[in-house]
Amino acid sequence: NVSAVQDRARDFDRFSTLVKLESFCPFESAEDALENINCVSEGVVTKTLEAFLEGRGLRGKTGKKSKVMLGVSEPKLGNAIQEGMSISCQSNDVIGELVRGIRMHFHKFVSGLGEIDVQTAQRGLAHSYSRSKVKFNVNRIDNMIIQAIALLDQLDKDVNTFAMRVREWYDWHFPELVKVVNENFTYARLVKFIGNKSTLSEESLAGLEEITMDAD
């Protein structure tokens, strides 16, 4: 029951009747902790985690139901453990509240570990994890180049499409022009300048020459 777990998690004495510390494996360094948390977020079982679970005798036999049920806060990681180590895993709201309570009272479960030490370690790891994710996403300058090239390609396709439409529609009015002018930009400028071809006169020659840059 989620509500019951939430209620007991407020007080360590009551919460400790639900949860007992069986084993604890600290990370060897800040780099080791960062590597593990990155793997947890990706649903990857690290060698450290695999060795820890195997050392507790939790690895099951392939094709047989495991004797224990392992609570895992990350569903993707739980699936990876279940597939790779044949350990039955469960991820639900109750497990989430149990993990939250363990984090809250962790310094009381481990003797010699102060609350400030836990907070400092959590804050340092959170900063390192955030920096690694931001660095991975934001500093990928090549992504911006790839997106810019894709945008230019799309713009080029759009311009060609619009130019074809102008040629198709204006060709009904002035079919001779499409045979004389091949360049799309020049053709569009001429369409705008000419409009109704019946209005062309000797006075229009200067404007036509300026657009085509050709006196002929």
Side-chain angles (χ1 to χ4, degrees), residues 1 4 21 24 66 80 109-110 132 136-137 140 143-144 151 166-167 169 176 178 185 209:
N1 181 296
L21 178 64
F24 168 56
S66 60
F109 282 110
V110 181
S132 70
F136 179 76
N137 291 324
R140 289 286 300 277
N143 278 348
M144 300 178 189
L151 179 59
V166 171
R167 284 176 176 273
W169 295 336
E176 298 84 3
V178 74
F185 182 62
E209 184 177 342

Side-chain angles (χ1 to χ4, degrees), residues 18-62:
L18 288 177
V19 178
K20 299 292 182 182
L21 178 64
E22 290 292 330
S23 185
F24 168 56
C25 178
F27 296 118
E28 296 180 357
S29 63
E31 291 76 14
D32 185 33
L34 179 59
E35 180 185 352
N36 275 269
I37 194 173
N38 278 323
C39 289
V40 167
S41 67
E42 297 295 329
V44 176
V45 181
T46 63
K47 292 181 179 179
T48 301
L49 178 57
E50 185 175 1
F52 177 75
L53 294 175
E54 193 160 7
R56 308 285 82 74
L58 299 181
R59 181 186 284 276
K61 294 183 179 180
T62 305

Side-chain angles (χ1 to χ4, degrees), residues 154-169:
Q154 186 60 48
L155 287 173
D156 191 46
K157 291 178 182 178
D158 291 342
V159 169
N160 287 331
T161 300
F162 296 146
M164 288 177 61
R165 294 291 178 271
V166 171
R167 284 176 176 273
E168 288 174 4
W169 295 336

Side-chain angles (χ1 to χ4, degrees), residues 64-109:
K64 293 186 178 181
K65 189 176 181 180
S66 60
K67 297 179 181 180
V68 297
M69 178 66 70
L70 185 66
V72 183
S73 59
E74 295 291 333
K76 285 176 62 178
L77 181 61
N79 290 335
I81 293 173
Q82 190 160 318
E83 291 175 6
M85 302 188 68
S86 300
I87 302 174
S88 296
C89 296
Q90 191 172 37
S91 299
N92 53 34
D93 292 339
V94 173
I95 298 299
E97 290 302 319
L98 285 172
V99 171
R100 187 179 67 84
I102 292 170
R103 287 173 178 163
M104 184 188 302
H105 302 296
F106 189 66
H107 62 285
K108 296 178 182 178
F109 282 110

